[in-house]
Amino acid sequence: MEEDPTVFEVAGGGSGMVLRARPGRDGAAQKRPSGSGAGFTDDPAELVTLSDDDLAAALEPAVRARAAQIAARLSVPKPKADTARDRGAGHFASVPYRGGSDDIDLDPTLEMLAERPVPDDEDIIVRERVRARRSVVLAVDVSGSMKGERVRTAAATVGALAAELSQDALAVIAFWSDAAVLQKLGDPVRPMELLDDLLRLPARGLTNVAFPLQLAAAQLAGVPERNARVILLSDCVHNAGPDPRPFAARLPRVDVLLDTSGEKDLELGRELARLGRGGFRAIRTFHDVAPALGALFRS
C-alpha cells in the first residue's frame, strides 16, 4: 500500500498557523536515506508573523548599501516572446506593430489611418499573443548556516528578482526552522522595502526546507502551472522537519540555487530540482547569481 505523503498536521498557534510533522508508523521521525547529510525530524514548524519590533530593527548602513548596490547590478532576462515553449500561452490582444506579427487588426488600424494619412509603424494595429504574467515564489534560507556573505547574496537575489518581476507576481518566503512570508503573491512589489525586511532578519535556527515548499504551494494555489515556479535559495543542509522531496514533487516547478560557499548538500539540492521539474545551479558568490537566474528563466 502506498504511504500517505502528507506529513504535516495542523495545530493551533498563538502567532500564526502551526504545522507539526506527523511521526512515522513506529512513532519516530523519518530518517533520511544514506548519502545525504542530517536526518529528517518531527520538529514543529511555525508560520511567524513578524512583529513591529522585528521590522523596526536597525540596519547596518554598510550592509544595506552593499546589498542594494549588488542587487542593482543583477539582471534577470525577460522571457522571449513567441517561443515554442510559450506558444498557446496567454491571450490575444490588439497592440501597436513592433515587428513581431503580421496579423493586422483591420478596424482599429483603419481608424488610426483616418487620423494619420502618413502613419508610423506604431499606427498599424496587430493581433499578438500577450504572454501570461509569471508567478514566482522565492524561498530564501536565513537559517544559522546562512551568515555573512551568504545572507548578502540572498539579499541581492531578492533585490534583483523584486526589480525584474515588478510587473509579474512575486512572493518571498524567508525560512529557517520556521518561516515568515515577507511578500505575498499578488501584493505590490516594493524592492527596497522587501530588501530591508530581509536584512532585518537575523540568521537563526536550523534549516527546514520542507516548510517553505508547503507555504509556496499555498501561495501558488489557483495559478496556472505553466506560469508558476518556486526558486529555492539555500545550502540545502536540511536538518529540521520532514523529508522535503514530496513537497517539491507536488509543485509546478522548483528551481534550486544552491549556495556552495560553505556547508552544503548538493545531492538533496539536485534531487529537489529533479523532482520539481526545474533547474539546478550552484552559486558561490553574488557574481554567480545573475547568470544562474538567467539560465533558469531561459529554460
Side-chain angles (χ1 to χ4, degrees):
M1 180 181 296
E2 184 177 347
E3 293 188 7
D4 181 4
T6 303
V7 289
F8 280 125
E9 58 187 6
V10 178
S15 58
M17 177 180 66
V18 178
L19 300 174
R20 301 187 184 279
R22 291 180 180 171
R25 291 188 177 184
D26 60 357
Q30 296 180 0
K31 301 298 183 182
R32 170 173 291 192
S34 60
S36 285
F40 305 131
T41 76
D42 59 358
D43 296 338
E46 185 175 352
L47 177 58
V48 175
T49 301
L50 297 179
S51 67
D52 291 340
D53 290 339
D54 291 325
L55 297 178
L59 293 173
E60 294 183 32
V63 172
R64 184 181 189 274
R66 184 180 184 195
Q69 182 182 35
I70 293 170
R73 294 179 189 170
L74 300 183
S75 178
V76 180
K78 296 292 190 291
K80 295 179 181 179
D82 197 29
T83 62
R85 178 175 173 272
D86 292 322
R87 200 162 293 145
H91 62 278
F92 279 103
S94 296
V95 297
Y97 176 71
R98 296 185 293 260
S101 174
D102 56 5
D103 184 9
I104 297 176
D105 195 343
L106 191 57
D107 288 342
T109 298
L110 291 175
E111 292 177 9
M112 294 292 288
L113 294 179
E115 299 176 8
R116 299 181 178 87
V118 183
D120 294 326
D121 287 349
E122 292 80 8
D123 296 328
I124 307 300
I125 307 302
V126 296
R127 297 281 290 172
E128 281 189 1
R129 191 178 292 277
V130 178
R131 192 183 189 281
R133 188 168 73 151
R134 294 171 291 178
S135 294
V136 178
V137 178
L138 175 63
V140 185
D141 187 341
V142 295
S143 62
S145 60
M146 296 292 285
K147 296 178 180 178
E149 191 61 34
R150 283 188 163 190
V151 79
R152 287 188 284 273
T153 296
T157 307
V158 169
L161 284 175
E164 293 293 336
L165 300 175
S166 59
Q167 301 304 312
D168 294 280
L170 174 66
V172 177
I173 299 169
F175 70 95
W176 52 104
S177 49
D178 298 318
V181 177
L182 303 183
Q183 167 83 30
K184 293 181 180 178
L185 197 71
D187 284 356
V189 178
R190 298 179 176 86
M192 287 310 301
E193 291 182 18
L194 188 53
L195 186 60
D196 287 349
D197 288 347
L198 179 72
L199 292 174
R200 286 187 174 101
L201 291 174
R204 54 185 171 181
L206 301 175
T207 306
N208 184 340
V209 179
F211 192 47
L213 296 180
Q214 188 188 34
L215 295 177
Q219 290 287 316
L220 292 171
V223 175
E225 287 194 1
R226 67 182 304 124
N227 303 324
R229 70 166 72 198
V230 177
I231 296 177
L232 174 67
L233 174 60
S234 176
D235 56 20
C236 289
V237 180
H238 176 83
N239 49 26
D243 186 349
R245 293 172 299 178
F247 298 96
R250 293 182 209 140
L251 287 162
R253 173 169 175 157
V254 178
D255 296 311
V256 177
L257 289 178
L258 190 137
D259 193 309
T260 64
S261 62
E263 186 182 8
K264 68 272 186 187
D265 190 336
L266 289 166
E267 180 183 336
L268 181 60
R270 289 193 178 102
E271 256 192 295
L272 292 174
R274 178 182 64 81
L275 291 168
R277 297 160 294 280
F280 173 89
R281 291 293 183 278
I283 59 174
R284 187 170 183 84
T285 73
F286 71 87
H287 295 288
D288 303 323
V289 171
L293 286 173
L296 292 178
F297 276 95
R298 285 192 298 270
S299 64

